[in-house]
Structure formats: C-alpha cells, structure tokens
Amino acid sequence: MLRKKWGFLLSGLLSASMLLTACGGGGGGQAAQPSGQNNGGQAATTEAPKSDGQTFVFKAGHSLTEDHPYNLALKKMAEDVEKRSNGKVKIEVYPLSQLGAERELTEALTFGTADMSITSTAPVTNFYPKLGVLDLPFLFESRDQAYKVLDGKVGQDILKDLSSANLVGLAWAENGFRHITNGTKDIKTPADIQGMKIRTQENPIHLAAFEALGAKPTPMAWTEALTALQQGVVDAQENPAIVAQTYKLYDSKQTHMSLTGHVYSAALILFSKPVWDKLPADVQQLISEEATKAGQYERELMIKMEEEAIKDIKSKGVTITEDVDKQAFRDAMKPVYDKFSGQFGKELVDEIMNTK
C-alpha cells in the first residue's frame, strides 16, 4: 500500500509539472519540458503547436549589433514564430554578446545552458572540427558557389552531423566575404602584410593562413579586439565590410581596407541539442522551418548592406584597395591546404572546390 501511495503521489507531481510553462535554458530557467517522444523534428506541420497548453520562451544570442543582419533576421524569425504559434512560442533576441561571445555561447549551447544563437563558423570548429573545411582560404570564388555547396548535400550533411557536438544545425546564413583592414598601408600582395600583427578569430586555420603570409596573427574574441586596435596592440584585423562599418573601425586606427575576400564567412543558426531534445515535435518543426526562412532573409540583407557598407566606409576617408593580387595570396596560402586537407578529406575539399 505504501508503495502504491508513493506511486500515485509521484504520478500526480509529474502531471502537475507538465502543466507548467516551459522555458529554454539560456535565461537560467528550467529547460523546456517534453510532452511526447522526440522524433528529431521531422513532423510535418504548419499549424500552431498543440503542446498541451505549454508556452516556450527561448533566448537567442549573437555577437553583433542591433542593426546587423544577424539581429534583424533573428527578430523577424521571433515575430514569425510567435505569430504562427499564437503566442505559445517566443524567442527573445540578445545582441552584442549579452549571452556571451561566440565561442562562449556555442559552448553554452552544448551544455544546454543557452538556447539558440547565430554565429560565424570559426568558433564552432572548436566543438565540431569538420566545419573548419569552410574556413580554408579562397575555398569559394563566389557567393553562388557557396550557396550551392551549403544548400546542397555537403552543407546539409554538416547541419545534420552537428548533433554529434550536442548542437542542432538549423540553417545556414552568412557573415560575408572577409577583408583585411589596417592603419598604415594598402595591402595588394602577401609581401604587404609580412610582420603585421593582425587580430584573427580563435581558429587554427585562420592562424595558419596568416602565418603562411608572414603576418603575426593574434587570436582574440571580438569583444577584446576593438580595444586592442585602439591601443595598437594589433595593427590590423580581418572581417566582412559590414563589421568594419558597424563598429566604425575607422575610429580604431583602421584607415585602409583591402578587398581580399580571402574567406567566405558562412554563419549558422544553432540550437542547443540538450534543450531541443526536450521539445515537442511540433515546436521543433516550427522553429526549424522559420530558421530556414531567417537564414535566407539574412543572406539577402547581407548582400545589400555589404555594398552600402563599402560605400560608407570609403566616404569616411578609408582607402579601399580593390586591385588585390588574389592569385599571389592563393599561392602563398597553399601550405594551409597541404596541412589541413587530410583532416577533412581531400575528396570533400575537391568536391567543394569543383562545385560551380
């Protein structure tokens, strides 16, 4: 009898807990509670979630500003998710590394202490090394080639396999082609960057690439980079043009921008797998569908805003160098391919480079 009474009591407590509002892990609250078995988010539905009266609040973070395409895309996704779910699913967006810098936030996703992010791929390679193949310099010659790869089998396989790192790859977005800025001279050839201290992301391939050029790469989080540029700790940095505009790098001693386009910086919309696995299938499906739309919207914004950024930077007195000897940079960075191709598999690298 005692065992039966305890059984009824525990059953009642469990049922009561299922009626509570669930929220994601990023805000320090309870992780979302399951209302059924997780089936990987493959349920096909366009209806509002029927999750037993539960509501869900997730926190999505990123490292850039409120007017950056990252933020605009996440805000639109949040609006669309809330509308489609009749208010049952909400996403709160936190820019400017409020939930942590990219690497810190990615790590939090793997632990289930944060819910969602949009991030450049470089910091994610620390948790899923295969993703580093996208950071090989001059891997992509154009956006069209990048889109064909990422939206095709290679990119979709990567999204699925991110689960092995305790991450859910929801969709691809982008941060644009990366260019070099510095405060002293035009950079047209590898010789122009030799000996230059340049801030890079915390990424072994980026480090190897600039070492091959004879530069002195200094990895650091973006939250530290502006101060380092202003104080002269580093001479240069590399980022898409929109980042240089957004953070007014011309006020941080960056007077020259060379359009090297040395890396196409893809971005990822990620979700915490520990949190995801506790969500009802219909909520998973809703978030997945809207993330795909958000990724496409973010790409469209990036293309438009990147063109505007270069014009704006030039109007602020920054010298824009377009006649870059890209072949010389490719040749100088060949040792990076020799070093890392084996890690990713030569067949994969060739498949990406041969996609036109």
Side-chain angles (χ1 to χ4, degrees):
M1 288 298 293
L2 182 59
R3 182 177 298 176
K4 289 183 178 180
K5 287 181 180 178
W6 274 111
F8 283 128
L9 179 58
L10 289 173
S11 177
L13 288 172
L14 179 61
S15 298
S17 70
M18 296 296 290
L19 296 175
L20 296 176
T21 296
C23 68
Q30 295 281 330
Q33 298 297 311
S35 66
Q37 294 296 317
N38 169 43
N39 68 357
Q42 299 303 312
T45 177
T46 56
E47 299 177 358
K50 304 182 182 66
S51 305
D52 301 329
Q54 289 180 295
T55 60
F56 301 85
V57 180
F58 304 110
K59 292 186 177 183
H62 64 89
S63 64
L64 297 172
T65 57
E66 293 181 354
D67 55 356
H68 189 276
Y70 278 10
N71 198 69
L72 299 177
L74 283 180
K75 294 287 283 186
K76 187 176 188 305
M77 178 182 173
E79 292 173 4
D80 293 343
V81 164
E82 184 171 359
K83 182 178 180 180
R84 280 187 59 186
S85 68
N86 296 324
K88 292 181 180 179
V89 182
K90 297 181 180 181
I91 298 173
E92 298 174 349
V93 180
Y94 294 84
L96 293 166
S97 299
Q98 293 179 56
L99 302 183
E102 286 186 325
R103 178 169 177 159
E104 296 166 347
L105 181 52
T106 302
E107 185 172 32
L109 294 181
T110 68
F111 291 145
T113 55
D115 302 322
M116 183 178 173
S117 74
I118 181 168
T119 176
S120 57
T121 57
V124 186
T125 61
N126 294 286
F127 308 93
Y128 181 73
K130 184 179 178 181
L131 194 60
V133 69
L134 302 179
D135 287 301
L136 288 170
F138 296 104
L139 182 69
F140 297 112
E141 294 182 2
S142 67
R143 272 191 167 90
D144 286 342
Q145 180 193 2
Y147 294 168
K148 286 179 182 178
V149 170
L150 298 178
D151 298 339
K153 184 177 185 303
V154 170
Q156 297 309 300
D157 284 349
I158 289 175
L159 289 183
K160 293 175 184 175
D161 198 38
L162 280 165
S163 62
S164 64
N166 239 10
L167 298 165
V168 176
L170 291 174
W172 293 104
E174 73 169 57
N175 202 18
F177 280 95
R178 305 182 78 86
H179 307 299
I180 299 171
T181 70
N182 77 99
T184 57
K185 59 183 178 179
D186 296 345
I187 294 176
K188 298 182 179 181
T189 70
D192 296 324
I193 199 173
Q194 287 186 7
M196 189 175 287
K197 290 183 178 179
I198 181 168
R199 177 268 171 183
T200 67
Q201 292 181 297
E202 299 169 283
N203 179 291
I205 296 176
H206 289 205
L207 291 172
F210 283 99
E211 287 170 352
L213 296 176
K216 297 178 180 178
T218 305
M220 64 180 69
W222 186 243
T223 49
E224 305 169 14
L226 288 177
T227 302
L229 289 168
Q230 291 164 359
Q231 295 180 349
V233 175
V234 292
D235 310 308
Q237 66 86 49
E238 50 86 44
N239 253 311
I242 191 170
V243 175
Q245 178 204 33
T246 300
Y247 286 90
K248 300 180 180 180
L249 294 188
Y250 42 81
D251 290 336
S252 296
K253 301 182 180 180
Q254 301 297 284
T255 56
H256 294 71
M257 170 178 279
S258 296
L259 302 184
T260 52
H262 51 281
V263 170
Y264 169 77
S265 184
L268 283 162
I269 301 178
L270 297 174
F271 209 94
S272 167
K273 190 173 186 296
V275 177
W276 182 266
D277 287 347
K278 296 176 182 178
L279 298 178
D282 53 355
V283 175
Q284 292 178 341
Q285 183 73 14
L286 172 63
I287 292 173
S288 180
E289 290 174 359
E290 291 302 328
T292 300
K293 295 177 186 176
Q296 182 59 39
Y297 178 62
E298 193 275 346
R299 282 175 173 176
E300 294 168 0
L301 287 174
M302 182 61 73
I303 292 171
K304 179 182 178 181
M305 294 175 72
E306 186 177 77
E307 294 174 355
E308 296 171 351
I310 292 174
K311 292 179 182 178
D312 182 61
I313 292 168
K314 188 175 183 178
S315 74
K316 298 297 192 297
V318 176
T319 300
I320 305 295
T321 303
E322 298 186 46
D323 56 334
V324 176
D325 188 348
K326 292 189 177 183
Q327 188 57 52
F329 276 92
R330 286 191 186 95
D331 293 343
M333 291 181 174
K334 186 177 182 300
V336 180
Y337 279 78
D338 296 337
K339 180 177 181 179
F340 289 98
S341 287
Q343 177 179 325
F344 307 121
K346 189 175 184 301
E347 290 184 0
L348 175 60
V349 174
D350 289 343
E351 181 179 358
I352 293 174
M353 296 190 75
N354 293 331
T355 299
K356 303 298 180 184

